[in-house]
Amino acid sequence: MKPSRSARDWLGAEIRYWRTLRRLSQDALGAMVHVSGDLIAKIEKAQRPCPPELAAALDAALDTGGVLSRFLELLDGDADKRRPEADSSRSKKSASSRHRPAAAPTPDEESGSPVPGQRTDPATIGSAMTLMNGEVRVACRAPDGRIIFVTLPRRALLRGAAAVAGTGAFPLAPASAAAAPTAPDPADLLASDVHPVENFQVLRRSLVECDNYLGPREVVTSVQDHIRQIQRLREVTSGRDRQDLMQVQAEYAEFCSWLLQDSGDFRAAQYWADRAIEWSTVAGDHGLTVYTMARKSQLAGDMRDPLDTVDLAEAAQRIAPPRSRLLAMGTVYGAHGHALRGDERASQNAYDQALEVVTLPNDDETLRGRWLDAAYVEAQRARSLSALGNHQEAVAGFERAIRGLPASYRRDRGVYLARAAVAQLHALGPEAAASTGSAALTIATATGSARIFTELAGLDAQLHRWSTVTEVAEFREALDNVMLHEV
Protein backbone atom coordinates (compact mmCIF):
# COMPACT_ATOMS: atom_id res chain seq x y z
CA MET A 1 0.00 0.00 0.00
CA LYS A 2 1.42 3.38 -1.08
CA PRO A 3 -0.64 6.31 0.30
CA SER A 4 0.96 8.78 -2.13
CA ARG A 5 -0.38 6.89 -5.18
CA SER A 6 -3.95 8.23 -5.11
CA ALA A 7 -6.66 9.76 -2.94
CA ARG A 8 -8.14 6.29 -2.41
CA ASP A 9 -4.77 4.96 -1.23
CA TRP A 10 -4.45 7.91 1.14
CA LEU A 11 -7.91 7.27 2.61
CA GLY A 12 -7.09 3.57 3.06
CA ALA A 13 -3.87 4.44 4.87
CA GLU A 14 -5.77 6.91 7.05
CA ILE A 15 -8.35 4.29 8.07
CA ARG A 16 -5.59 1.83 8.89
CA TYR A 17 -3.79 4.50 10.94
CA TRP A 18 -6.85 5.16 13.12
CA ARG A 19 -7.71 1.45 13.36
CA THR A 20 -4.19 0.61 14.48
CA LEU A 21 -4.25 3.50 16.94
CA ARG A 22 -7.46 2.11 18.47
CA ARG A 23 -5.93 -1.39 18.49
CA LEU A 24 -8.77 -2.91 16.47
CA SER A 25 -8.63 -5.74 13.96
CA GLN A 26 -10.31 -5.34 10.59
CA ASP A 27 -13.03 -7.76 11.64
CA ALA A 28 -13.64 -5.92 14.92
CA LEU A 29 -13.91 -2.57 13.15
CA GLY A 30 -16.20 -4.06 10.50
CA ALA A 31 -18.51 -5.37 13.21
CA MET A 32 -18.71 -1.91 14.78
CA VAL A 33 -19.89 -0.32 11.51
CA HIS A 34 -21.93 -3.35 10.29
CA VAL A 35 -19.75 -4.37 7.35
CA SER A 36 -17.39 -7.27 6.86
CA GLY A 37 -13.76 -7.22 7.87
CA ASP A 38 -12.97 -8.17 4.27
CA LEU A 39 -14.53 -4.90 3.03
CA ILE A 40 -12.45 -2.93 5.56
CA ALA A 41 -9.34 -4.71 4.27
CA LYS A 42 -10.19 -3.90 0.63
CA ILE A 43 -10.81 -0.23 1.43
CA GLU A 44 -7.52 -0.02 3.31
CA LYS A 45 -5.75 -1.52 0.28
CA ALA A 46 -7.56 0.92 -2.04
CA GLN A 47 -9.28 -1.96 -3.84
CA ARG A 48 -12.76 -0.61 -3.02
CA PRO A 49 -14.04 2.98 -2.58
CA CYS A 50 -15.32 4.16 0.76
CA PRO A 51 -18.91 5.50 0.52
CA PRO A 52 -19.61 8.76 2.43
CA GLU A 53 -22.02 7.05 4.83
CA LEU A 54 -19.41 4.42 5.72
CA ALA A 55 -16.79 7.13 6.20
CA ALA A 56 -19.13 8.85 8.67
CA ALA A 57 -19.66 5.56 10.53
CA LEU A 58 -15.91 4.93 10.65
CA ASP A 59 -15.33 8.48 11.94
CA ALA A 60 -17.73 7.76 14.78
CA ALA A 61 -16.36 4.28 15.56
CA LEU A 62 -12.73 5.40 15.49
CA ASP A 63 -13.35 8.80 17.11
CA THR A 64 -11.41 10.62 14.41
CA GLY A 65 -13.16 13.95 14.82
CA GLY A 66 -14.59 13.65 11.29
CA VAL A 67 -11.28 13.39 9.42
CA LEU A 68 -12.49 10.79 6.89
CA SER A 69 -15.73 12.58 6.05
CA ARG A 70 -13.97 15.94 5.72
CA PHE A 71 -11.47 14.41 3.31
CA LEU A 72 -14.24 13.02 1.08
CA GLU A 73 -16.02 16.40 1.15
CA LEU A 74 -12.77 18.09 0.14
CA LEU A 75 -12.37 15.68 -2.79
CA ASP A 76 -15.96 16.35 -3.89
CA GLY A 77 -15.35 20.09 -3.68
CA ASP A 78 -12.20 19.83 -5.79
CA ALA A 79 -14.07 17.67 -8.32
CA ASP A 80 -16.83 20.28 -8.61
CA LYS A 81 -14.23 22.99 -9.29
CA ARG A 82 -12.56 20.90 -12.00
CA ARG A 83 -15.73 19.56 -13.61
CA PRO A 84 -16.43 22.39 -16.11
CA GLU A 85 -12.86 22.24 -17.42
CA ALA A 86 -12.97 18.46 -17.53
CA ASP A 87 -16.33 18.48 -19.34
CA SER A 88 -14.90 20.96 -21.85
CA SER A 89 -11.87 18.72 -22.40
CA ARG A 90 -14.11 15.71 -22.90
CA SER A 91 -16.20 17.62 -25.42
CA LYS A 92 -13.10 18.65 -27.38
CA LYS A 93 -11.78 15.11 -27.26
CA SER A 94 -15.09 13.71 -28.40
CA ALA A 95 -15.27 16.19 -31.29
CA SER A 96 -11.74 15.45 -32.44
CA SER A 97 -12.28 11.70 -32.18
CA ARG A 98 -14.92 11.93 -34.91
CA HIS A 99 -12.20 12.96 -37.36
CA ARG A 100 -9.47 10.47 -36.47
CA PRO A 101 -9.25 7.01 -34.87
CA ALA A 102 -8.29 6.88 -31.20
CA ALA A 103 -4.77 5.65 -30.54
CA ALA A 104 -4.51 2.65 -28.27
CA PRO A 105 -2.70 3.35 -24.99
CA THR A 106 0.77 1.92 -24.65
CA PRO A 107 1.45 -0.63 -21.90
CA ASP A 108 3.41 2.02 -20.04
CA GLU A 109 0.49 4.46 -20.24
CA GLU A 110 -1.89 1.83 -18.93
CA SER A 111 0.34 0.86 -16.04
CA GLY A 112 1.61 4.32 -15.23
CA SER A 113 5.16 2.94 -15.30
CA PRO A 114 8.13 5.16 -16.13
CA VAL A 115 9.16 5.17 -19.77
CA PRO A 116 12.82 4.19 -20.20
CA GLY A 117 14.88 7.12 -21.46
CA GLN A 118 12.27 9.75 -20.57
CA ARG A 119 13.77 12.73 -18.72
CA THR A 120 12.71 13.21 -15.14
CA ASP A 121 12.19 16.78 -14.01
CA PRO A 122 13.81 16.89 -10.54
CA ALA A 123 11.29 19.50 -9.43
CA THR A 124 8.62 16.78 -9.61
CA ILE A 125 10.42 14.45 -7.20
CA GLY A 126 8.21 14.25 -4.14
CA SER A 127 10.68 15.87 -1.74
CA ALA A 128 11.88 18.57 -4.17
CA MET A 129 11.30 22.31 -4.14
CA THR A 130 12.41 24.76 -6.82
CA LEU A 131 14.14 27.82 -5.37
CA MET A 132 14.03 31.39 -6.62
CA ASN A 133 17.40 31.10 -8.43
CA GLY A 134 16.31 27.98 -10.35
CA GLU A 135 18.13 25.51 -8.12
CA VAL A 136 16.30 22.52 -6.66
CA ARG A 137 16.33 21.49 -3.01
CA VAL A 138 15.63 17.79 -2.60
CA ALA A 139 15.89 15.04 0.00
CA CYS A 140 18.67 12.53 -0.61
CA ARG A 141 19.51 9.22 1.07
CA ALA A 142 23.23 9.01 1.75
CA PRO A 143 25.15 5.72 1.45
CA ASP A 144 25.09 5.29 5.24
CA GLY A 145 21.27 5.44 5.21
CA ARG A 146 20.89 8.98 6.57
CA ILE A 147 18.48 11.37 4.84
CA ILE A 148 19.94 14.78 4.07
CA PHE A 149 18.70 17.80 2.09
CA VAL A 150 20.86 19.04 -0.76
CA THR A 151 20.60 22.02 -3.11
CA LEU A 152 21.70 21.43 -6.70
CA PRO A 153 21.45 23.24 -10.04
CA ARG A 154 18.28 22.07 -11.73
CA ARG A 155 19.98 21.41 -15.08
CA ALA A 156 22.68 19.26 -13.52
CA LEU A 157 20.13 17.39 -11.45
CA LEU A 158 17.98 16.86 -14.54
CA ARG A 159 20.91 15.20 -16.32
CA GLY A 160 21.52 12.94 -13.34
CA ALA A 161 17.86 12.08 -12.98
CA ALA A 162 17.60 11.23 -16.67
CA ALA A 163 20.26 8.58 -16.20
CA VAL A 164 18.04 6.66 -13.81
CA ALA A 165 14.70 7.28 -15.51
CA GLY A 166 12.83 4.03 -15.91
CA THR A 167 14.09 2.57 -12.65
CA GLY A 168 10.96 3.55 -10.77
CA ALA A 169 12.93 5.87 -8.49
CA PHE A 170 11.05 9.06 -9.39
CA PRO A 171 7.55 9.98 -10.55
CA LEU A 172 7.74 11.35 -14.09
CA ALA A 173 6.29 14.61 -15.38
CA PRO A 174 7.19 16.85 -18.32
CA ALA A 175 9.50 19.72 -17.53
CA SER A 176 7.78 23.08 -17.65
CA ALA A 177 8.43 24.93 -20.89
CA ALA A 178 6.85 28.17 -19.68
CA ALA A 179 9.09 31.21 -19.92
CA ALA A 180 9.68 33.37 -16.88
CA PRO A 181 6.97 36.07 -16.71
CA THR A 182 8.01 39.62 -17.52
CA ALA A 183 7.91 41.92 -14.47
CA PRO A 184 5.13 44.51 -14.79
CA ASP A 185 6.06 48.16 -15.16
CA PRO A 186 5.61 50.07 -11.85
CA ALA A 187 3.68 52.75 -13.74
CA ASP A 188 1.10 50.15 -14.81
CA LEU A 189 0.67 48.98 -11.21
CA LEU A 190 0.21 52.56 -9.97
CA ALA A 191 -2.34 53.27 -12.71
CA SER A 192 -4.60 50.45 -11.50
CA ASP A 193 -8.05 51.29 -10.11
CA VAL A 194 -7.07 49.51 -6.89
CA HIS A 195 -4.12 50.85 -4.89
CA PRO A 196 -1.11 48.51 -5.19
CA VAL A 197 -0.86 48.21 -1.40
CA GLU A 198 -4.37 46.78 -1.28
CA ASN A 199 -3.64 44.56 -4.28
CA PHE A 200 -0.54 43.07 -2.69
CA GLN A 201 -2.36 42.56 0.64
CA VAL A 202 -5.10 40.58 -1.12
CA LEU A 203 -2.54 38.57 -3.09
CA ARG A 204 -0.60 37.75 0.06
CA ARG A 205 -3.73 36.47 1.82
CA SER A 206 -4.41 34.21 -1.16
CA LEU A 207 -0.85 32.88 -1.06
CA VAL A 208 -1.17 32.17 2.66
CA GLU A 209 -4.24 30.03 1.95
CA CYS A 210 -2.36 28.25 -0.85
CA ASP A 211 0.51 27.53 1.54
CA ASN A 212 -1.85 26.03 4.11
CA TYR A 213 -3.00 23.45 1.58
CA LEU A 214 -0.28 23.13 -1.08
CA GLY A 215 2.85 23.84 0.95
CA PRO A 216 5.81 26.11 0.24
CA ARG A 217 7.08 24.93 -3.12
CA GLU A 218 3.94 26.19 -4.92
CA VAL A 219 4.15 29.60 -3.28
CA VAL A 220 7.70 30.74 -2.49
CA THR A 221 8.71 31.93 -5.98
CA SER A 222 5.53 34.05 -6.24
CA VAL A 223 6.23 35.62 -2.84
CA GLN A 224 9.79 36.53 -3.77
CA ASP A 225 8.62 37.92 -7.12
CA HIS A 226 6.09 40.12 -5.31
CA ILE A 227 8.83 41.44 -3.00
CA ARG A 228 10.83 42.52 -6.07
CA GLN A 229 7.78 44.26 -7.51
CA ILE A 230 7.10 46.09 -4.24
CA GLN A 231 10.73 47.24 -4.09
CA ARG A 232 10.42 48.64 -7.62
CA LEU A 233 7.22 50.46 -6.66
CA ARG A 234 8.91 52.02 -3.63
CA GLU A 235 11.50 53.56 -5.97
CA VAL A 236 8.82 55.62 -7.75
CA THR A 237 6.64 56.58 -4.76
CA SER A 238 7.08 58.84 -1.75
CA GLY A 239 5.53 59.82 1.58
CA ARG A 240 2.76 57.67 3.02
CA ASP A 241 2.52 55.49 -0.09
CA ARG A 242 6.17 54.45 0.24
CA GLN A 243 5.77 53.77 3.98
CA ASP A 244 2.67 51.63 3.34
CA LEU A 245 4.54 49.70 0.65
CA MET A 246 7.38 49.14 3.12
CA GLN A 247 4.89 47.67 5.60
CA VAL A 248 3.52 45.26 2.95
CA GLN A 249 7.08 44.38 1.95
CA ALA A 250 7.81 43.51 5.59
CA GLU A 251 4.72 41.26 5.67
CA TYR A 252 5.95 39.46 2.57
CA ALA A 253 9.45 39.10 4.03
CA GLU A 254 8.09 37.44 7.18
CA PHE A 255 5.96 35.11 5.04
CA CYS A 256 8.97 34.31 2.84
CA SER A 257 10.93 33.44 5.99
CA TRP A 258 8.18 31.04 7.01
CA LEU A 259 8.07 29.35 3.59
CA LEU A 260 11.83 28.83 3.61
CA GLN A 261 11.70 27.51 7.17
CA ASP A 262 9.10 24.96 6.10
CA SER A 263 11.33 24.14 3.13
CA GLY A 264 14.25 23.37 5.44
CA ASP A 265 16.43 26.28 4.27
CA PHE A 266 17.02 27.70 7.74
CA ARG A 267 19.77 30.19 6.84
CA ALA A 268 17.65 31.78 4.14
CA ALA A 269 14.72 31.81 6.58
CA GLN A 270 16.87 33.69 9.10
CA TYR A 271 17.85 36.21 6.42
CA TRP A 272 14.25 37.02 5.50
CA ALA A 273 13.17 37.17 9.15
CA ASP A 274 15.90 39.74 9.78
CA ARG A 275 14.68 41.74 6.76
CA ALA A 276 11.12 41.57 8.12
CA ILE A 277 12.22 42.98 11.49
CA GLU A 278 14.25 45.72 9.79
CA TRP A 279 11.47 46.71 7.36
CA SER A 280 8.66 46.51 9.92
CA THR A 281 10.67 48.81 12.20
CA VAL A 282 11.12 51.30 9.35
CA ALA A 283 7.39 51.09 8.59
CA GLY A 284 6.47 51.59 12.24
CA ASP A 285 4.60 48.26 12.50
CA HIS A 286 5.50 47.25 16.04
CA GLY A 287 3.10 44.29 16.03
CA LEU A 288 4.83 42.74 13.03
CA THR A 289 8.22 43.28 14.67
CA VAL A 290 7.06 41.36 17.76
CA TYR A 291 5.44 38.66 15.62
CA THR A 292 8.62 38.12 13.62
CA MET A 293 10.75 38.03 16.78
CA ALA A 294 8.54 35.23 18.11
CA ARG A 295 8.81 33.43 14.78
CA LYS A 296 12.60 33.64 14.99
CA SER A 297 12.29 31.77 18.27
CA GLN A 298 10.23 29.09 16.53
CA LEU A 299 12.87 28.87 13.80
CA ALA A 300 15.62 28.45 16.40
CA GLY A 301 13.58 25.62 17.90
CA ASP A 302 13.40 23.86 14.53
CA MET A 303 17.19 24.30 14.32
CA ARG A 304 17.43 22.67 17.77
CA ASP A 305 19.19 25.66 19.31
CA PRO A 306 17.69 25.75 22.83
CA LEU A 307 19.49 28.88 24.02
CA ASP A 308 18.46 31.06 21.06
CA THR A 309 14.94 29.61 21.23
CA VAL A 310 14.54 30.76 24.84
CA ASP A 311 16.33 34.12 24.43
CA LEU A 312 14.42 35.15 21.29
CA ALA A 313 11.13 34.09 22.90
CA GLU A 314 11.87 36.18 25.98
CA ALA A 315 12.76 39.16 23.78
CA ALA A 316 9.40 38.84 22.01
CA GLN A 317 7.59 38.60 25.34
CA ARG A 318 9.30 41.75 26.66
CA ILE A 319 8.09 43.90 23.75
CA ALA A 320 4.67 42.25 23.25
CA PRO A 321 1.47 43.94 24.49
CA PRO A 322 0.26 42.45 27.80
CA ARG A 323 -2.18 39.52 27.58
CA SER A 324 -1.97 39.47 23.78
CA ARG A 325 -1.68 36.67 21.21
CA LEU A 326 1.79 37.99 20.47
CA LEU A 327 2.75 37.44 24.10
CA ALA A 328 1.33 33.91 23.90
CA MET A 329 3.39 33.19 20.76
CA GLY A 330 6.61 34.05 22.54
CA THR A 331 5.55 32.00 25.54
CA VAL A 332 4.73 28.90 23.45
CA TYR A 333 7.99 28.91 21.51
CA GLY A 334 9.97 29.63 24.66
CA ALA A 335 8.29 26.63 26.29
CA HIS A 336 9.73 24.35 23.62
CA GLY A 337 13.14 25.91 24.17
CA HIS A 338 12.92 24.92 27.84
CA ALA A 339 12.01 21.38 26.77
CA LEU A 340 15.05 21.24 24.47
CA ARG A 341 17.14 22.22 27.49
CA GLY A 342 15.56 19.38 29.50
CA ASP A 343 13.68 21.71 31.90
CA GLU A 344 10.25 20.05 32.01
CA ARG A 345 8.86 22.21 34.83
CA ALA A 346 9.68 25.50 33.07
CA SER A 347 8.29 24.12 29.80
CA GLN A 348 4.97 22.99 31.27
CA ASN A 349 4.54 26.22 33.26
CA ALA A 350 5.05 28.24 30.09
CA TYR A 351 2.44 26.22 28.19
CA ASP A 352 -0.03 26.72 31.04
CA GLN A 353 0.59 30.49 30.90
CA ALA A 354 0.04 30.52 27.13
CA LEU A 355 -3.26 28.66 27.53
CA GLU A 356 -4.48 31.32 29.95
CA VAL A 357 -3.73 34.05 27.40
CA VAL A 358 -5.31 32.38 24.34
CA THR A 359 -8.64 32.04 26.15
CA LEU A 360 -8.87 35.86 26.24
CA PRO A 361 -10.46 37.89 23.40
CA ASN A 362 -8.00 38.89 20.66
CA ASP A 363 -8.10 42.71 20.59
CA ASP A 364 -5.40 43.05 17.91
CA GLU A 365 -7.10 44.68 14.91
CA THR A 366 -4.58 43.07 12.56
CA LEU A 367 -5.56 39.65 13.97
CA ARG A 368 -1.93 38.61 14.17
CA GLY A 369 -1.68 35.16 15.69
CA ARG A 370 -5.41 34.50 15.28
CA TRP A 371 -4.50 30.89 14.47
CA LEU A 372 -2.98 30.53 17.96
CA ASP A 373 -5.65 28.68 19.94
CA ALA A 374 -5.75 26.07 22.69
CA ALA A 375 -5.41 23.21 20.16
CA TYR A 376 -2.22 24.74 18.74
CA VAL A 377 -0.76 25.19 22.22
CA GLU A 378 -1.50 21.55 23.04
CA ALA A 379 0.09 20.38 19.76
CA GLN A 380 3.27 22.25 20.65
CA ARG A 381 3.10 20.84 24.18
CA ALA A 382 2.88 17.34 22.70
CA ARG A 383 6.02 18.02 20.66
CA SER A 384 7.85 19.12 23.78
CA LEU A 385 6.60 16.11 25.76
CA SER A 386 8.00 13.84 23.06
CA ALA A 387 11.34 15.67 23.22
CA LEU A 388 11.33 15.14 26.99
CA GLY A 389 10.61 11.40 26.58
CA ASN A 390 6.95 11.47 27.72
CA HIS A 391 5.76 9.67 24.60
CA GLN A 392 2.45 8.32 25.89
CA GLU A 393 1.22 11.81 26.79
CA ALA A 394 2.60 13.14 23.52
CA VAL A 395 0.57 10.61 21.48
CA ALA A 396 -2.64 11.66 23.22
CA GLY A 397 -1.83 15.34 22.68
CA PHE A 398 -1.15 14.92 18.98
CA GLU A 399 -4.33 12.89 18.55
CA ARG A 400 -6.41 15.73 20.03
CA ALA A 401 -4.64 18.31 17.87
CA ILE A 402 -5.14 16.31 14.65
CA ARG A 403 -8.84 15.83 15.35
CA GLY A 404 -9.34 19.57 15.74
CA LEU A 405 -7.52 20.68 12.57
CA PRO A 406 -9.59 22.12 9.69
CA ALA A 407 -9.31 20.04 6.50
CA SER A 408 -7.65 22.96 4.69
CA TYR A 409 -4.67 22.86 7.09
CA ARG A 410 -3.24 19.87 5.28
CA ARG A 411 0.45 20.69 5.73
CA ASP A 412 0.05 21.26 9.50
CA ARG A 413 -1.74 17.95 9.70
CA GLY A 414 1.24 16.30 8.02
CA VAL A 415 3.63 17.87 10.55
CA TYR A 416 1.54 16.66 13.48
CA LEU A 417 1.23 13.16 11.99
CA ALA A 418 4.99 12.92 11.46
CA ARG A 419 5.73 14.04 15.01
CA ALA A 420 3.03 11.76 16.37
CA ALA A 421 4.60 8.82 14.53
CA VAL A 422 7.89 9.33 16.36
CA ALA A 423 6.07 9.35 19.70
CA GLN A 424 4.00 6.30 18.69
CA LEU A 425 7.12 4.29 17.98
CA HIS A 426 8.03 4.49 21.66
CA ALA A 427 4.49 4.32 23.06
CA LEU A 428 2.67 1.93 20.68
CA GLY A 429 5.29 0.14 18.58
CA PRO A 430 6.64 0.14 15.01
CA GLU A 431 3.41 -0.88 13.23
CA ALA A 432 1.43 2.14 14.46
CA ALA A 433 4.39 4.47 13.88
CA ALA A 434 4.90 3.28 10.30
CA SER A 435 1.19 3.57 9.45
CA THR A 436 1.09 7.12 10.76
CA GLY A 437 4.35 7.91 9.00
CA SER A 438 2.84 6.72 5.70
CA ALA A 439 -0.09 9.10 6.16
CA ALA A 440 2.33 11.96 6.84
CA LEU A 441 4.46 11.03 3.82
CA THR A 442 1.51 11.50 1.48
CA ILE A 443 1.16 15.10 2.67
CA ALA A 444 4.92 15.69 2.62
CA THR A 445 5.08 14.56 -1.00
CA ALA A 446 2.17 16.79 -2.01
CA THR A 447 3.43 19.92 -0.22
CA GLY A 448 7.22 19.58 -0.29
CA SER A 449 7.37 20.43 3.41
CA ALA A 450 10.90 19.77 4.66
CA ARG A 451 9.60 19.95 8.25
CA ILE A 452 7.57 16.80 7.56
CA PHE A 453 10.39 15.10 5.68
CA THR A 454 12.85 15.91 8.48
CA GLU A 455 10.59 14.29 11.07
CA LEU A 456 10.09 11.27 8.80
CA ALA A 457 13.84 10.98 8.23
CA GLY A 458 14.29 10.67 11.99
CA LEU A 459 11.49 8.11 12.14
CA ASP A 460 13.03 6.15 9.27
CA ALA A 461 16.34 5.92 11.11
CA GLN A 462 14.66 4.62 14.26
CA LEU A 463 12.54 2.08 12.32
CA HIS A 464 15.57 0.51 10.65
CA ARG A 465 15.77 -2.45 13.02
CA TRP A 466 12.12 -3.38 12.29
CA SER A 467 12.59 -3.44 8.51
CA THR A 468 10.99 -6.89 8.22
CA VAL A 469 7.68 -5.65 9.68
CA THR A 470 5.23 -5.21 6.79
CA GLU A 471 4.07 -1.70 7.70
CA VAL A 472 7.65 -0.57 8.26
CA ALA A 473 8.87 -2.01 4.96
CA GLU A 474 6.03 -0.29 3.08
CA PHE A 475 6.76 3.06 4.73
CA ARG A 476 10.49 2.91 4.07
CA GLU A 477 9.97 1.85 0.45
CA ALA A 478 7.51 4.72 -0.13
CA LEU A 479 9.95 7.18 1.47
CA ASP A 480 12.77 5.92 -0.74
CA ASN A 481 10.63 6.48 -3.84
CA VAL A 482 10.36 10.24 -3.28
CA MET A 483 14.03 11.10 -2.84
CA LEU A 484 17.33 10.90 -4.63
CA HIS A 485 19.96 8.33 -3.68
CA GLU A 486 23.60 9.28 -3.35
CA VAL A 487 25.91 6.81 -5.05
Side-chain angles (χ1 to χ4, degrees):
M1 181 178 64
K2 296 181 179 179
S4 58
R5 183 181 296 157
S6 68
R8 188 182 291 183
D9 283 274
W10 185 92
L11 188 64
E14 190 72 5
I15 292 170
R16 184 163 77 167
Y17 156 68
W18 286 101
R19 178 178 61 78
T20 305
L21 186 66
R22 303 300 181 214
R23 301 187 180 186
L24 293 170
S25 66
Q26 292 169 337
D27 288 336
L29 178 58
M32 293 173 68
V33 295
H34 309 294
V35 299
S36 68
D38 181 62
L39 177 59
I40 297 294
K42 288 179 178 177
I43 292 174
E44 289 185 357
K45 295 176 182 177
Q47 295 172 354
R48 293 280 296 274
C50 181
E53 59 273 15
L54 178 55
L58 290 169
D59 277 328
L62 296 170
D63 190 22
T64 68
V67 166
L68 307 176
S69 296
R70 287 200 301 270
F71 179 71
L72 289 181
E73 289 171 4
L74 187 63
L75 285 180
D76 289 342
D78 287 346
D80 289 342
K81 292 176 183 176
R82 293 192 299 266
R83 195 164 291 131
E85 181 180 347
D87 290 344
S88 175
S89 299
R90 281 196 295 270
S91 297
K92 293 177 182 177
K93 183 175 180 180
S94 176
S96 63
S97 67
R98 289 194 293 268
H99 301 286
R100 66 175 185 273
T106 66
D108 286 321
E109 289 174 330
E110 288 184 335
S111 65
S113 300
V115 180
Q118 183 173 346
R119 288 162 66 86
T120 300
D121 183 354
T124 66
I125 297 170
S127 61
M129 191 188 97
T130 303
L131 304 179
M132 183 179 180
N133 60 4
E135 294 180 329
V136 174
R137 186 173 180 81
V138 63
C140 175
R141 189 181 289 281
D144 62 3
R146 292 180 302 110
I147 296 173
I148 58 176
F149 285 85
V150 295
T151 302
L152 297 170
R154 180 168 179 162
R155 186 168 297 177
L157 190 55
L158 183 57
R159 288 197 299 270
V164 295
T167 66
F170 317 119
L172 297 180
S176 172
T182 303
D185 191 301
D188 294 336
L189 293 172
L190 290 171
S192 171
D193 292 338
V194 181
H195 196 283
V197 169
E198 184 178 343
N199 262 333
F200 280 112
Q201 287 172 336
V202 172
L203 287 170
R204 180 184 167 278
R205 286 194 291 269
S206 297
L207 290 169
V208 169
E209 292 303 316
C210 288
D211 172 54
N212 284 337
Y213 191 72
L214 299 176
R217 67 180 170 198
E218 305 293 341
V219 178
V220 67
T221 53
S222 294
V223 169
Q224 293 174 329
D225 183 56
H226 289 180
I227 291 174
R228 285 194 298 265
Q229 293 181 32
I230 295 169
Q231 287 174 323
R232 294 180 66 202
L233 277 170
R234 287 179 49 239
E235 293 173 359
V236 296
T237 55
S238 60
R240 182 57 185 267
D241 283 343
R242 190 157 70 196
Q243 182 179 356
D244 288 346
L245 283 167
M246 176 64 89
Q247 192 278 333
V248 176
Q249 184 173 309
E251 294 267 12
Y252 268 91
E254 186 281 320
F255 185 35
C256 188
S257 171
W258 161 249
L259 294 171
L260 290 164
Q261 177 180 342
D262 193 42
S263 304
D265 193 346
F266 294 148
R267 297 304 175 190
Q270 287 178 318
Y271 169 84
W272 284 107
D274 289 341
R275 299 290 74 71
I277 287 179
E278 174 188 330
W279 294 341
S280 63
T281 301
V282 172
D285 189 340
H286 179 70
L288 181 56
T289 303
V290 179
Y291 184 91
T292 308
M293 186 68 73
R295 282 266 299 102
K296 281 175 67 71
S297 172
Q298 182 196 32
L299 174 58
D302 279 3
M303 296 174 71
R304 301 194 67 80
D305 184 336
L307 192 59
D308 272 4
T309 303
V310 172
D311 287 350
L312 288 165
E314 290 179 350
Q317 292 173 69
R318 282 195 300 271
I319 60 177
R323 303 170 71 79
S324 65
R325 285 290 195 281
L326 297 176
L327 177 65
M329 279 184 65
T331 306
V332 166
Y333 298 138
H336 187 59
H338 291 304
L340 292 176
R341 301 187 73 185
D343 191 341
E344 181 171 2
R345 176 178 293 181
S347 177
Q348 295 305 306
N349 286 342
Y351 282 121
D352 291 341
Q353 292 168 16
L355 281 174
E356 289 181 12
V357 175
V358 298
T359 58
L360 301 173
N362 187 5
D363 296 328
D364 185 353
E365 293 181 358
T366 65
L367 297 179
R368 295 197 198 283
R370 62 186 180 278
W371 43 265
L372 182 58
D373 56 14
Y376 182 87
V377 174
E378 291 298 352
Q380 303 311 306
R381 190 199 295 266
R383 181 190 186 190
S384 293
L385 286 169
S386 185
L388 289 163
N390 297 338
H391 301 295
Q392 199 74 46
E393 293 181 53
V395 168
F398 281 124
E399 184 181 330
R400 289 192 296 270
I402 291 167
R403 275 207 308 264
L405 268 181
S408 60
Y409 280 48
R410 180 169 64 158
R411 190 262 323 283
D412 288 348
R413 174 180 170 78
V415 173
Y416 294 170
L417 283 169
R419 291 172 179 169
V422 176
Q424 286 175 351
L425 176 60
H426 300 279
L428 302 176
E431 294 88 351
S435 294
T436 303
S438 294
L441 179 59
T442 303
I443 300 173
T445 304
T447 62
S449 172
R451 288 192 302 153
I452 306 177
F453 275 112
T454 298
E455 298 287 349
L456 293 179
L459 175 66
D460 175 77
Q462 295 182 65
L463 284 173
H464 177 73
R465 57 178 165 152
W466 291 286
S467 295
T468 57
V469 175
T470 301
E471 293 84 354
V472 173
E474 290 176 347
F475 164 72
R476 302 193 77 218
E477 179 187 1
L479 185 60
D480 272 344
N481 286 339
V482 293
M483 63 181 63
L484 291 176
H485 290 255
E486 186 180 346
V487 294

